[in-house]
Amino acid sequence: MPRPLVPFSQFVIKMHARCDLACDHCYVYEHADTSWRGKARASGEAVLARTAERIAEHALAHRLPAVHVVLHGGEPLLAGPALLGRAAELLRAALPADCALDLRIHTNGVLLSPRFLDLFAAHGIKVGISLDGDRAANDRHRRFADGRSSHAKVLAAVELLRRPAYRHLYAGLLCTIDVENDPVAVLDALVALEPPRVDFLLPHATWEQPPKRPEGLGETPYADWLLAVHRRWEELGRPVPVRTFDSVYRTLRGRSSLTESLGLDPADLVVVETDGSFEQADSLKTAYDGAPETGFTVFEHTLDQVAEHPGMVERQSGLAGLAEQCRGCPVVRSCGGGLYAHRYRGDGSGFRNPSVYCGDLMRLITTIRDRMAPAPVVPAQDAPGAVLTDRQLDELAAGYGGADTVRTLARAQLGLTRRLVAAVGAASPAWGLVTSLDADDAPALEAVLAHPYTRAWAVRCLQGEGGGDLGGMAEVAAAAAVRARRAFELPVPVRGGAVHLPTLGRVSVGGAGETVLTGDADGFTVGGRRIGPDTPADAHWQPVRRTALAGGWTPALEDTDPQRDSHQWPVEERLADAEYLAWAGALREAWELIGRDLPGYAPGIRAGLSTLTPLRRGPAGRDVSAAARQAFGAVGIARPATAPTLALLIAHEFQHVKLGAVLDFHDLYDRADPRLFHAPWRPDPRPLEGLFQGTYAHLAVTEFWATRVRAYDGLRNGPAQPARVQLATWRAHTVASIATLADSGALTPLGTRFTDGMRTAVEPWLTVPVGAAAETAARESAAENLAQWQARAAAIGGN
């Protein structure tokens, strides 16, 4: 049986199918689905035991490092303490020892009491509460069936959670938006309760049952409401993380979303009802009666079988699963088409539609994008030795960049990372150890600072994502101290049940929060586990693995660092031994091909590419690769089927890495120019940096196909003709985009010189004969993309 595209890692277990409130916006009882009437009122032990076995079976089969389980309802507290405690016991007993359990309960809070919280503390169950703001806002919808207010009881529940004894159980607040409530008053009321996180939920709606849009509130009232909250949140200094805003920030920067309602991340959630039936996300209850049903149960079916359900497959298909107009939208990677349920239309198109909140999402995302501060950049004059010489710039403009030139870029990037980490430093308790290491063991510290994802972490902190992540400083300090064989003791964060040491690996310790790591000359100890230089890899100690290649290149296959989720595609989890060996073999062959087919690129790759991060494959097994602007030295790739494709992807993505590093210190174009330009290889218009990046990457792509055409010279069939078509296509695209850059009127003198260098670099490949058929295919491809771009530009008012 084929494995699911993305294993499930999030599970909602319905503990009770009734509720003690009568909220009129509830998707379970007040929308199209009526299946709740036929469900058992509460889960029985048999259902819970079999559910725990199914989750454990899935975690073991897919080597999941952690699973996330939410006890839900109806109202789960109606199930009572005994059943809730039993659910926790069964889950923890069933899961593999190396799979951490993140267990939570989501409640309206009405019944919450010290008795429940003592139970939750004993079982490590965190508590999220639904609250729509102050009393006026909350009582608009969240009332008892007889009309009484629930607000006072919910506030009392939150006050219990804020007590020191229970504060560690407080997971956050969920607020359903009503645009007739005062957005500032709602945020102020929620912030006053000091939640660890706030999440704002658009009221569930479809094209058949659209959301209310009161007169006088404009065409995008939900975006306007959220933007008012966002502005107030900024004014208050971002006092708590807001998952909606953090997800927009993350997806705009090419990272994964924190919520299924935004971004293109494949859905990895399944629901278990009180009768043991598997269902899709609860939000589908708003579409039509029976919409979430799968026909599978915990007693008869595995989770891999559930993952093959057409609805689950559709929700894991990313960009390919969206409506045509969504796939061409300029904010699609952030919006992701919106929540799947909100796309439903009953005219036969089903969920292949834009979200019913499409206009609101467009305005929300583009406005936040325009409000975002740019990533911190240290001016070249503040980074001694960082400026490239004219010779080095000309060398890079030709597409190449030898070892010395790329090392110069790497030194400049290290200096920049130092500045960024120092800007974070003073706020972290680990800063003293970092400064001590810098004075006495600088090489050990610099080995960690040069790790690509150290800079990615520092930039996120300085941009305030998620309120900052100062735990990353402790990870940097601990990794450097271990490298220096320094004696130390330091609290470090536990993420997903593991302690992470950048450049070294991770140790599974279970749980969450913090733990203490102690180091000495012979290794370190954390979570009761002793790790030394000779400790073999196992289920608990997962070191970073490096592959030794010809010429002394030893790139890391990075599958442990939590900051590696910096690319625009989801990362793979820890590679099984067989998959790692497949990667290593493919890398050896790809590196040999790069040396043969791209000899001008190989020295720079060897000098500057330290890290390859395995990504998950794209929809329908599509090849996926990406570079992260704030992670010099790393590229992300989903291992392709062939070594030549891997060679091409490595060269292509490292071009982006190099040019991004150049742009950190040299202005090639007017950064204030807001225009979008046609890129021949894609239908959506691109900003100047995007056009520059694509053009530069395609210098390597063009040369790759040119050398392969020459290798196939004399062959009429077989691999020769596809290579000719590829060469004809990419050299035409590259020439056209160079002309667009040159004619843009936005290049600096240095940018003009750099563009001229790219033009000269592509000229030798223009004379490689490919034949009329290949040239025709290339022209047709360019014409098709141009027509699509013109249509997109017209639709969004471009020119």
Side-chain angles (χ1 to χ4, degrees):
M1 179 180 296
R3 293 164 71 113
L5 178 64
V6 178
F8 296 116
S9 64
Q10 300 186 66
F11 304 88
V12 173
I13 300 177
K14 295 303 190 73
M15 297 301 301
H16 203 282
R18 301 295 185 270
C19 190
D20 45 3
L21 293 183
C23 308
D24 59 14
H25 56 16
C26 179
Y27 54 81
V28 176
Y29 308 110
E30 301 294 337
H31 283 267
D33 185 76
T34 60
S35 62
W36 62 273
R37 300 179 188 277
K39 303 294 185 188
R41 281 184 172 267
S43 285
E45 176 148 348
V47 169
L48 294 174
R50 194 62 177 136
T51 299
E53 291 170 2
R54 289 299 189 194
I55 294 173
E57 171 186 80
H58 196 66
L60 184 63
H62 296 280
R63 298 173 181 261
L64 298 181
V67 295
H68 310 274
V69 178
V70 179
L71 307 179
H72 213 282
E75 170 48 51
L77 296 185
L78 288 173
L83 192 62
L84 294 171
R86 186 60 179 148
E89 290 170 353
L90 290 166
L91 286 163
R92 293 195 186 279
L95 282 173
D98 58 348
C99 181
L101 173 62
D102 175 22
L103 185 57
R104 300 173 183 243
I105 189 167
H106 195 85
T107 171
N108 60 35
V110 168
L111 296 177
L112 197 65
S113 67
R115 182 185 178 196
F116 276 113
L117 290 175
D118 288 340
L119 173 80
F120 297 159
H123 290 287
I125 303 174
K126 293 189 175 182
V127 184
I129 289 185
S130 296
L131 179 66
D132 289 349
D134 57 14
R135 176 163 181 162
N138 198 68
D139 286 355
R140 193 183 291 275
H141 301 286
R142 296 189 185 277
R143 290 177 173 271
F144 288 96
D146 60 6
R148 286 179 297 127
S149 169
S150 66
H151 189 252
K153 288 184 176 294
V154 180
L155 282 192
V158 175
E159 290 306 318
L160 275 176
L161 277 170
R162 294 175 68 190
R163 291 182 183 178
Y166 303 128
R167 176 75 195 189
H168 65 290
L169 303 177
Y170 191 6
L173 302 174
L174 183 147
C175 170
T176 300
I177 297 166
D178 188 312
V179 292
E180 293 184 299
N181 288 331
D182 180 341
V184 172
V186 166
L187 180 68
D188 286 351
L190 299 177
V191 168
L193 299 176
E194 299 181 313
R197 181 181 296 278
V198 171
D199 195 11
F200 290 103
L201 181 70
L202 289 168
H204 289 314
T206 68
W207 290 101
E208 300 305 305
Q209 296 290 330
K212 69 177 182 181
R213 297 187 179 275
E215 291 186 12
L217 293 184
E219 296 182 357
T220 55
Y222 294 90
D224 297 339
W225 194 94
L226 279 168
L227 289 168
V229 171
H230 182 264
R231 189 171 295 282
R232 175 62 171 167
W233 181 65
E234 293 278 10
E235 290 171 354
L236 294 174
R238 300 183 180 184
V240 298
V242 175
R243 187 162 65 165
T244 310
F245 302 150
D246 288 342
S247 292
V248 173
Y249 290 140
R250 288 169 64 94
T251 53
L252 284 172
R253 295 182 178 119
R255 299 183 65 211
S256 63
S257 175
L258 300 174
T259 170
E260 66 171 336
S261 61
L262 291 167
L264 288 170
D265 305 302
D268 63 350
L269 177 146
V270 66
V271 177
V272 181
E273 277 288 353
T274 54
D275 61 359
S277 57
F278 284 118
E279 291 195 348
Q280 300 180 68
D282 264 1
S283 55
L284 287 175
K285 294 179 185 292
T286 200
Y288 57 87
D289 203 7
E293 294 176 3
T294 66
F296 300 125
T297 75
V298 296
F299 299 107
E300 300 172 314
H301 303 95
T302 68
L303 282 158
D304 277 12
Q305 288 175 295
V306 178
E308 294 175 344
H309 182 276
M312 294 294 191
V313 172
E314 183 76 7
R315 292 176 59 236
Q316 291 196 349
S317 59
L319 196 64
L322 301 184
E324 174 70 22
Q325 53 267 58
C326 290
R327 292 198 295 272
C329 176
V331 299
V332 65
R333 295 197 177 279
S334 190
C335 166
L339 190 69
Y340 187 72
H342 295 172
R343 308 172 200 168
Y344 180 72
R345 193 188 292 269
D347 60 0
S349 59
F351 298 94
R352 286 288 179 121
N353 300 288
S355 169
V356 72
Y357 291 103
C358 178
D360 294 279
L361 291 171
M362 172 71 84
R363 174 165 166 72
L364 175 69
I365 292 166
T366 55
T367 303
I368 289 179
R369 179 196 65 196
D370 294 343
R371 290 178 182 177
M372 281 170 59
V377 174
V378 177
Q381 61 269 25
D382 292 341
V387 179
L388 296 163
T389 66
D390 288 346
R391 180 193 61 78
Q392 290 172 323
L393 283 164
D394 289 342
E395 187 180 311
L396 288 162
Y400 305 130
D404 288 343
T405 296
V406 173
R407 289 191 193 103
T408 299
L409 282 177
R411 285 193 297 272
Q413 291 292 307
L414 177 60
L416 178 52
T417 299
R418 278 181 163 276
R419 296 287 296 273
L420 295 171
V421 170
V424 177
S428 169
W431 182 238
L433 179 56
V434 172
T435 56
S436 173
L437 287 161
D438 198 23
D440 300 330
D441 297 286
L445 177 62
E446 290 192 346
V448 181
L449 294 180
H451 179 50
Y453 301 117
T454 298
R455 173 175 167 183
W457 158 76
V459 169
R460 290 170 196 156
C461 281
L462 294 173
Q463 291 171 336
E465 278 190 30
D469 174 17
L470 295 181
M473 185 69 77
E475 292 166 332
V476 168
V482 169
R483 281 180 166 275
R485 308 183 74 176
R486 173 82 71 93
F488 71 100
E489 182 175 295
L490 188 67
V492 291
V494 179
R495 307 178 193 268
V499 169
H500 300 262
L501 298 175
T503 74
L504 298 177
R506 70 183 176 195
V507 185
S508 177
V509 296
E514 280 189 346
T515 189
V516 174
L517 187 150
T518 59
D520 54 41
D522 298 317
F524 64 94
T525 302
V526 64
R529 303 189 187 282
R530 177 68 181 174
I531 309 297
D534 299 322
T535 301
D538 57 21
H540 300 290
W541 168 233
Q542 297 178 338
V544 172
R545 294 174 289 197
R546 294 183 174 273
T547 301
L549 303 176
W553 188 34
T554 57
L557 270 176
E558 179 57 85
D559 55 5
T560 65
D561 194 309
Q563 308 296 340
R564 74 189 189 282
D565 186 12
S566 299
H567 304 279
Q568 66 191 58
W569 287 97
V571 297
E572 277 285 10
E573 294 304 327
R574 177 71 171 184
L575 300 180
D577 289 345
E579 176 62 11
Y580 167 71
L581 292 174
W583 258 104
L587 271 174
R588 290 188 181 95
E589 187 176 348
W591 181 232
E592 181 181 337
L593 291 171
I594 290 172
R596 186 193 74 187
D597 294 342
L598 294 171
Y601 291 87
I605 291 172
R606 184 173 54 241
L609 183 56
S610 65
T611 303
L612 287 94
T613 296
L615 304 180
R616 296 179 187 173
R617 294 193 66 77
R622 183 162 65 87
D623 291 332
V624 167
S625 64
R629 185 67 170 80
Q630 303 295 346
F632 176 84
V635 299
I637 297 175
R639 184 172 66 84
T642 68
T645 302
L646 179 57
L648 176 59
L649 294 178
I650 289 172
H652 172 269
E653 295 304 338
F654 193 61
Q655 291 293 93
H656 291 307
V657 172
K658 288 188 297 186
L659 186 61
V662 170
L663 292 173
D664 280 337
F665 299 98
H666 299 273
D667 287 328
L668 302 184
Y669 61 89
D670 180 3
R671 296 178 188 268
D673 193 321
R675 291 177 295 163
L676 301 177
F677 297 84
H678 170 232
W681 53 87
R682 56 189 296 166
D684 55 324
R686 309 292 293 149
L688 272 167
E689 180 170 348
L691 185 63
F692 239 123
Q693 284 278 9
T695 306
Y696 192 64
H698 294 142
L699 291 179
V701 174
T702 298
E703 183 165 340
F704 176 87
W705 289 113
T707 58
R708 295 190 79 76
V709 166
R710 285 180 170 175
Y712 298 142
D713 190 33
L715 298 177
R716 289 293 177 186
N717 299 304
Q721 189 58 19
R724 292 183 185 116
V725 172
Q726 291 287 350
L727 172 58
T729 298
W730 291 109
R731 71 187 182 186
H733 286 351
T734 307
V735 167
S737 58
I738 288 172
T740 301
L741 285 169
D743 295 340
S744 68
L747 301 185
T748 63
L750 181 58
T752 299
R753 175 175 172 170
F754 201 92
T755 301
D756 288 342
M758 291 195 293
R759 181 185 289 110
T760 301
V762 81
E763 285 176 354
W765 315 122
L766 303 181
T767 59
V768 177
V770 296
E775 296 287 7
T776 299
R779 286 194 296 271
E780 290 175 350
S781 172
E784 180 181 355
N785 280 333
L786 177 59
Q788 292 183 40
W789 172 75
Q790 289 171 334
R792 301 286 186 269
I796 63 173
N799 53 60

